[in-house]
Amino acid sequence: MTLKRMLILLVLLLMSVTGWVNARQATPVPCATAEINVVATIGMIADVAQNIGGTCAEVTALMGAGVDPHLYTATERDVETLFNADLILYGGLNLEARLIDVFEQIESGMGTPVVAVSENVPEEERLQEIALNATDPHVWMDVALWRTAAEAIRDAFTAYAPQHEAFFAANADAYFAELDALDAYAEEQIALIPEDQRVLVTAHDAFQYFGRAYGIDVYAPQGITTESEVGIQDIRETIELIIDRDIPAIFIETSVSPDVIEAIIEGAAAQGHTVIIGGALYSDAMGDADTEAGTYIGMIRHNVDTIVTGLLGEAAE
């Protein structure tokens, strides 16, 4: 055997060994026990984080079912939980406005990674609240955009524990497939509503991304944050809209007081128009952990099904 041929065989052998080693390194391997203590602000972020982090992550959500993140203030226990975290995930875009100072102190003082996952959404895809000159933070209402936030969560895990990159990537890819199916489901179901009936009225303006994504008009007397005030003129204009469009149902939100919606129903009735509550939608918080709406996917499916039933006039009085 010539020297040249021996060198070629040696190179081929080294390449095959390297490829075998890389293949073994790329094989997703679950963790025997959780290695990353993750704290997420809202349930939607916590749910995605648990799906992607899998056995390598222990995920805690600061805010449970029915909690409004716009008004949420950290308790002493919350601060302790955040200080003990290895990784903190929050929405950003001013969603958790009263927690920002705490996040900044922890990140600068302790070096804990703090990631605003919704800010991974490209600026040109973000909606703006003109009256408040602020970015709408409710990006999870558009499933395709929420996938972008999920990518930020995957990348945050990988940056913290690069040795588990293949595991996080495999989990993320499986979850992305579920999100793609959910996105298609939402589009198909909303399309069942006749176009002139596709009007979604809620108390606060959390569904604009949903409306843009799935072709439904969205109206709310209150702005993108529940800290804003609802004026009498806002309620009057909503009542006029309901009467003009002959809307059969409007919707309350699980994390927002029903007072505004009840006032709209009473105002419409006073003008001879009957409109009912079509059901409760999940906007800024998911459902209880032991319910279908206790996951992000279940929450969106619940909203879609409730909206379709209500606007087709099938909701119970």
Side-chain angles (χ1 to χ4, degrees):
M1 180 181 296
T2 64
L3 178 61
K4 181 178 180 180
R5 185 169 176 77
M6 289 179 62
L7 289 173
I8 291 173
L9 290 173
L10 179 60
V11 169
L12 290 174
L13 178 62
L14 289 172
M15 288 175 64
S16 66
V17 170
T18 301
W20 176 75
V21 171
N22 287 339
R24 289 202 60 181
Q25 290 175 339
T27 301
V29 179
C31 298
T33 58
E35 299 178 9
I36 312 172
N37 179 20
V38 182
V39 176
T41 50
I42 59 176
M44 293 76 86
I45 296 174
D47 184 51
V48 176
Q50 194 62 76
N51 274 278
I52 294 176
T55 57
C56 291
E58 181 177 347
V59 182
T60 301
L62 282 185
M63 306 176 204
V67 176
D68 184 350
H70 299 287
L71 304 177
Y72 192 82
T73 302
T75 65
E76 185 175 339
R77 172 178 282 186
D78 290 338
V79 173
E80 182 178 352
T81 299
L82 290 165
F83 267 86
N84 289 327
D86 299 317
L87 174 64
I88 297 172
L89 304 171
Y90 72 110
L93 303 179
N94 214 38
L95 175 68
E96 309 94 335
R98 300 185 181 185
L99 297 178
I100 298 302
D101 289 344
V102 178
F103 294 153
E104 290 177 348
Q105 290 175 23
I106 292 174
E107 187 172 31
S108 62
M110 302 185 63
T112 303
V114 180
V115 181
V117 302
S118 296
E119 294 179 10
N120 197 45
V121 173
E123 288 192 22
E124 63 271 18
E125 295 292 332
R126 302 175 190 174
L127 292 174
Q128 299 295 315
E129 166 63 76
I130 297 175
L132 297 176
N133 190 29
T135 301
D136 187 338
H138 304 95
V139 296
W140 56 86
M141 290 300 181
D142 179 339
V143 178
L145 280 188
W146 194 234
R147 173 174 171 152
T148 305
E151 291 169 355
I153 294 173
R154 175 201 60 197
D155 295 344
F157 275 124
T158 301
Y160 185 87
Q163 69 275 22
H164 299 304
E165 178 178 5
F167 179 66
F168 299 141
N171 288 349
D173 288 344
Y175 191 66
F176 293 161
E178 294 186 58
L179 293 183
D180 291 343
L182 176 65
D183 191 37
Y185 176 81
E187 185 174 355
E188 291 167 1
Q189 292 301 305
I190 296 300
L192 297 175
I193 306 170
E195 193 168 348
D196 61 346
Q197 290 178 239
R198 290 182 208 161
V199 186
L200 173 61
V201 177
T202 60
H204 103 287
D205 209 0
F207 290 85
Q208 289 296 337
Y209 287 103
F210 185 90
R212 183 180 69 176
Y214 306 113
I216 184 169
D217 295 335
V218 175
Y219 294 91
Q222 193 172 28
I224 59 174
T225 171
T226 51
E227 289 187 294
S228 60
E229 296 292 332
V230 181
I232 295 176
Q233 184 59 31
D234 297 318
I235 293 177
R236 286 175 178 167
E237 290 175 357
T238 305
I239 293 171
E240 290 175 6
L241 168 75
I242 289 170
I243 295 172
D244 291 344
R245 297 286 295 268
D246 195 24
I247 297 171
I250 59 179
F251 302 85
I252 60 174
E253 300 166 59
T254 61
S255 57
V256 180
S257 169
D259 293 351
V260 172
I261 293 298
E262 291 170 353
I264 292 171
I265 290 174
E266 291 174 6
Q271 297 188 43
H273 180 83
T274 299
V275 60
I276 67 169
I277 293 177
L281 303 180
Y282 296 95
S283 54
D284 290 340
M286 302 192 307
D288 292 324
D290 58 349
T291 66
E292 179 190 8
T295 67
Y296 170 71
I297 289 174
M299 160 192 170
I300 296 297
R301 286 184 68 94
H302 167 90
N303 284 352
V304 169
D305 294 343
T306 301
I307 291 166
V308 171
T309 299
L311 295 185
L312 287 178
E314 300 170 359
E317 294 280 349

